[in-house]
Amino acid sequence: MDGSGDGKEPHDPFSREALRLGRSFREMNLYEGFELLIMLILTALIMIITAIATWSLTKEVWRLAWFGQISPDNAPTFQSVFGNIFTVIIALEFKSSLRISLSHNKDVVRVRTIVLIALLAVSRKFIILDLNEVRPMEMIAFSAAVLALGVVYWLIREQDTRVAAQAARFSAVEKAPHDQPSHTQE
């Protein structure tokens, strides 16, 4: 009933993905197989770390709520909680980029994703920063890092948009009938 012996694809997503990865692995050379194995291990490790971080965050929020320590006046508590939330978001984004690389047989994680993760990490640092203890030069350095990463992210996104538009135009030209004169109108 699972479709494994009758030539049909399995119905559950895990089996389908395992079957697809197995086929991909057999078609790869040694180094490509090594990369796939490393990406699978990293994905599993990130899933474990994300689960642990989420469990820890959940316990922390429940403890704070239970003891009535959640208050708008308690800035260090909010900084800690939102810093931990960003940690989980960063881990999820990283895992998502690996999943996309695995599912689309990409050779490397996209640069745009790495810049986004770096931007999230610096933003997290801003959230947990104690403004009473940070020196002005550190604040300028963090601000410059966010600005530079934002500009790089925007440039990469713009380039991806241009490349996608060019590919769409090229695809439309390839699909257009070549035997009709271009001066006829319907």
Side-chain angles (χ1 to χ4, degrees), residues 44-114:
L45 291 174
I46 291 170
M47 288 172 62
I48 292 167
I49 290 168
T50 304
I52 291 169
T54 303
W55 176 247
S56 175
L57 175 62
T58 303
K59 289 189 322 185
E60 179 183 5
V61 169
W62 276 110
R63 183 185 55 78
L64 290 170
W66 185 261
F67 291 112
Q69 295 177 337
I70 296 180
S71 166
D73 299 331
N74 192 351
T77 300
F78 274 100
Q79 286 176 309
S80 173
V81 168
F82 282 103
N84 290 338
I85 289 171
F86 257 79
T87 300
V88 172
I89 290 171
I90 290 167
L92 288 172
E93 184 61 35
F94 190 43
K95 191 231 153 275
S96 176
S97 69
L98 290 175
R99 182 184 52 78
I100 289 169
S101 294
L102 284 171
S103 65
H104 296 301
N105 291 330
K106 303 271 186 193
D107 290 334
V108 293
V109 178
R110 296 183 58 140
V111 173
R112 180 172 52 169
T113 303
I114 293 170

Side-chain angles (χ1 to χ4, degrees), residues 108-178:
V108 293
V109 178
R110 296 183 58 140
V111 173
R112 180 172 52 169
T113 303
I114 293 170
V115 172
L116 177 63
I117 291 168
L119 194 53
L120 286 170
V122 175
S123 299
R124 178 191 178 278
K125 183 67 174 173
F126 265 119
I127 288 174
I128 64 172
L129 206 58
D130 184 357
L131 296 178
N132 295 323
E133 295 188 17
V134 68
R135 295 186 305 258
M137 288 308 291
E138 287 178 290
M139 186 61 87
I140 290 171
F142 285 129
S143 300
V146 167
L147 181 61
L149 288 168
V151 167
V152 168
Y153 185 80
W154 178 76
L155 288 171
I156 291 170
R157 194 193 75 207
E158 287 298 311
Q159 180 182 1
D160 286 351
T161 302
R162 282 193 306 271
V163 167
Q166 185 179 11
R169 282 192 304 273
F170 180 73
S171 177
V173 168
E174 288 292 315
K175 290 180 182 178
H178 295 288

Side-chain angles (χ1 to χ4, degrees), residues 16-27 36:
R16 276 195 314 265
E17 186 66 12
L19 187 62
R20 188 191 65 75
L21 284 173
R23 278 190 221 125
S24 295
F25 192 75
R26 285 188 295 276
E27 296 171 359
L36 176 64

